[in-house]
Amino acid sequence: MDTVSMDELYRRALAAAEAAYAPYSRFRVGAALLAEDGAVFLGCNVENRSYGLTVCAERSAVFKGVSEGRRRFTALAIATPDSFHPVGPCGACRQVLSEFMPPDAPVRFGGSSGEKVDTTIGVLYPYDSLHDLA
Ligand code: THU
């Protein structure tokens, strides 16, 4: 499968935000996660009336990919169309992402302003024991 550019991955994350189930926060999040073999897994946040059961877009994408047999992901884009500024993944998602992504994997996130942040998993989640011990 052809590899997908960060621009394309971001477009797919933005489209994925349309599926967000976010009636409580009204804050939609979309994620697009590129697997090593070129497959792209989309995620959106899924809220619940028992608020703490909410799953973020990023973990939703990881769990879809892993449940479809992938263990290694090479890039991630996150779109938060309801925020003006770019919003990065939450702490819990950084931990989960770091389990399945190498530290140099690119991550792009952006809000409605058009500004994008380009960084890596290693910057978002440094000194990760999994990679340090590997
Ligand atoms: N959310 C995500 O999906 N990903 C993030 O990285 C930040 C937060 C969701 C959780 C909740 O549904 C809404 O955004 C507001 O926090």
Side-chain angles (χ1 to χ4, degrees):
M1 203 178 288
D2 283 344
T3 195
V4 166
S5 69
M6 288 309 284
D7 285 352
E8 175 61 17
L9 207 58
Y10 185 80
R11 276 194 287 278
R12 295 179 70 169
L14 189 55
E18 296 298 315
Y21 177 71
Y24 305 107
S25 71
R26 303 264 168 217
F27 190 82
R28 296 166 297 166
V29 185
L33 185 64
L34 179 65
E36 203 172 31
D37 68 347
V40 174
F41 294 90
L42 304 179
C44 64
N45 51 332
V46 181
E47 298 186 346
N48 190 268
R49 62 187 179 275
S50 177
Y51 297 166
L53 300 182
T54 292
V55 176
C56 295
E58 298 87 334
R59 273 176 293 152
S60 138
V62 170
F63 296 155
K64 281 173 72 177
V66 173
S67 64
E68 295 291 334
R70 275 59 165 209
R71 294 279 173 88
R72 201 172 151 88
F73 303 96
T74 54
L76 170 70
I78 306 159
T80 53
D82 300 318
S83 73
F84 183 72
H85 295 293
V87 173
C90 80
C93 287
R94 292 178 197 209
Q95 164 77 22
V96 170
L97 290 162
S98 74
E99 183 101 12
F100 300 103
M101 298 182 83
D104 63 353
V107 179
R108 173 175 293 184
F109 48 92
S112 66
S113 70
E115 179 197 351
K116 307 280 189 298
V117 172
D118 280 297
T119 184
T120 64
I121 284 291
V123 167
L124 292 171
Y125 202 71
Y127 305 108
D128 178 20
S129 62
L130 181 72
H131 297 293
D132 289 350
L133 296 175

